[in-house]
Amino acid sequence: MTDRFRALVVDKSDTSFSVEIKEMTLDELPPGEVTVRVAWSGVNYKDGLAGIPDGRILETYPLIPGIDLAGTVIHSSDSRFKEGEEVIVASAELGVSHSGGFSEMARIPGDWVIPLPEGLTLKEAMVLGTAGFTAAMSIQRMEENGLKPENGPVLVTGATGGVGSTAVAMLAKRGYTVAAGTGKTDAHDYLRRLGAAEILSREDLTNPQQRPLLKSRWAGAVDPVGGQTLSYLLSTMRFGGTVALSGLAGGAKFTSTVYPFILRGVHLLGIDSAHVSNEYRRKVWHRLATDLKPEGLLDWIGAEEVALDDLPAAMSSILRGGVRGRKLVKLS
Ligand SMILES: NC(=O)c1ccc[n+]([C@@H]2O[C@H](COP(=O)([O-])OP(=O)(O)OC[C@H]3O[C@@H](n4cnc5c(N)ncnc54)[C@H](OP(=O)(O)O)[C@@H]3O)[C@@H](O)[C@H]2O)c1
């Protein structure tokens, strides 16, 4: 086993900020019971924020970002994992306070490690990554709350993004009628291929007069956009409809009234993919490998591969809303 490997390191002081590819040794990795040779990672919105000085994601410096990784165990002092086993890691601390997946090697506490579920390859797992996990968790939570295909159409906002694309494909596979909201006029074919039956523009998803209630349309909504899109959603949900809110790509502030909640029994579910029990995480990954696994996962999404050296550009691109589907990071 070679002791030297490459990683993307973000560093910050009072006067400087840097994002650099560096050669490192295993001694420089944080403590943990499991050492993994990383095969794939993926670029998430949070990783984009990790690459800017005021992104407020990294809790310590220097740090290797990357909130997802998939690879092979090369050493484990935790009896639950064996050398040669394929695993996934995506947890609250990875790539935030503990060095993460933008590295050829990673060392992680055993409690964060999940065996790769049967039905997924390492590459497929990272095409999904935290974005796909968040989409699947949104569907799981809405279904726990009574959502079924026969309840009516489900709207996905930010539909060409990581959470959005994977949500459209998963809902379509489960038999839901899916509407996709997007700001990209050139992405309609892409969204129809994923399974969208209807496409709405960003302007369609507004409520300029801020009416408490508009015509009721949606039985469910996967919303990684938030902001005023969420205001629109709350005013257009059907009786008993459910919004699974996961993001703020369109802003953190929204306006609403109590009416959707008390006159239509609308449910607003917060989705936090980082702070879930290991048991729940495994359950959602099992669904990602079975009933929610999108058809032709490696083809439909484009799954553009990025090398370590091109990562800084990919991290900036996701913050500009310029990513369609997912960007995969190939490490070894
Ligand atoms: N809660 C959690 O656990 C969790 C987990 C993962 C991600 N997230 C959050 O979810 C959000 C999306 O993440 P992602 O990985 O899917 O990012 P992404 O790949 O960049 O997708 C975001 C999409 O939102 C749309 N969008 C961008 N700017 C917008 C604007 N100003 N107004 C309306 N729509 C806009 C774009 O899609 P269109 O062009 O198609 O509209 C964009 O592709 C982020 O806020 C992220 O932090 C949260």
Side-chain angles (χ1 to χ4, degrees), residues 43-46 49 57 67 130-135 137 156-166 181-185 187 191 200-202 223-226 229 245-251 270-275 317-326:
V43 184
N44 291 281
Y45 195 85
K46 217 168 166 180
L49 292 173
I57 291 296
I67 65 170
T130 287
F133 181 88
T134 304
M137 188 174 154
V156 177
T157 67
T160 66
V163 176
S165 296
T166 49
T182 183
K184 299 186 183 80
T185 49
L191 290 169
L200 294 97
S201 69
R202 274 193 206 156
D223 184 25
V225 168
T229 303
L245 168 69
S246 56
L248 75 173
I271 304 297
D272 174 4
S273 67
H275 299 94
S317 164
I318 200 164
L319 294 182
R320 297 192 301 272
V323 173
R324 180 185 293 188
R326 294 269 297 147

Side-chain angles (χ1 to χ4, degrees), residues 7-227:
L8 181 140
V9 180
V10 177
D11 203 359
K12 185 176 172 179
S13 71
D14 289 345
T15 52
S16 67
F17 182 80
S18 63
V19 179
E20 283 175 338
I21 312 295
K22 291 197 168 160
E23 189 159 289
M24 299 178 66
T25 61
L26 289 176
D27 309 339
E28 294 173 85
L29 287 176
E33 295 82 37
V34 185
T35 307
V36 175
R37 183 186 305 283
V38 184
W40 300 95
S41 182
V43 184
N44 291 281
Y45 195 85
K46 217 168 166 180
D47 300 318
L49 292 173
I52 56 173
D54 54 354
R56 296 189 188 164
I57 291 296
L58 301 192
E59 292 177 6
T60 179
Y61 295 94
L63 199 90
I64 303 169
I67 65 170
D68 289 334
L69 67 85
T72 306
V73 175
I74 57 166
H75 172 77
S76 175
S77 58
D78 183 324
S79 58
R80 290 171 295 179
F81 304 101
K82 306 186 293 294
E83 201 180 309
E85 187 171 349
E86 293 187 316
V87 294
I88 310 172
V89 187
S91 88
E93 304 301 328
L94 191 76
V96 173
S97 64
H98 186 102
S99 275
F102 292 171
S103 172
E104 291 165 351
M105 295 285 183
R107 193 184 289 125
I108 313 115
D111 283 346
W112 300 359
V113 180
I114 292 185
L116 181 73
E118 202 179 320
L120 284 180
T121 63
L122 291 174
K123 186 174 181 182
E124 287 173 332
M126 288 297 101
V127 172
L128 295 165
T130 287
F133 181 88
T134 304
M137 188 174 154
S138 301
I139 296 168
Q140 168 76 20
R141 297 277 286 112
M142 290 194 297
E143 290 181 346
E144 285 165 2
N145 206 58
L147 183 69
K148 296 188 281 301
E150 53 272 31
N151 293 7
V154 177
L155 176 62
V156 177
T157 67
T160 66
V163 176
S165 296
T166 49
V168 170
M170 288 175 202
L171 286 162
K173 182 173 182 197
R174 284 280 290 164
Y176 287 93
T177 302
V178 189
T182 183
K184 299 186 183 80
T185 49
D186 60 350
H188 292 201
D189 286 350
Y190 169 75
L191 290 169
R192 288 201 191 279
R193 274 202 303 278
L194 295 188
E198 184 185 356
I199 295 172
L200 294 97
S201 69
R202 274 193 206 156
E203 294 68 48
D204 292 334
L205 309 190
T206 56
N207 180 1
Q209 279 148 17
Q210 310 221 328
R211 295 216 177 110
L213 295 171
L214 298 169
K215 184 179 171 208
S216 72
R217 293 201 63 186
W218 315 111
V222 175
D223 184 25
V225 168

Side-chain angles (χ1 to χ4, degrees), residues 137 140-141 144 276-284:
M137 188 174 154
Q140 168 76 20
R141 297 277 286 112
E144 285 165 2
V276 283
S277 67
N278 197 286
E279 189 190 357
Y280 197 84
R281 194 176 287 285
R282 284 176 189 233
K283 180 175 168 174
V284 173

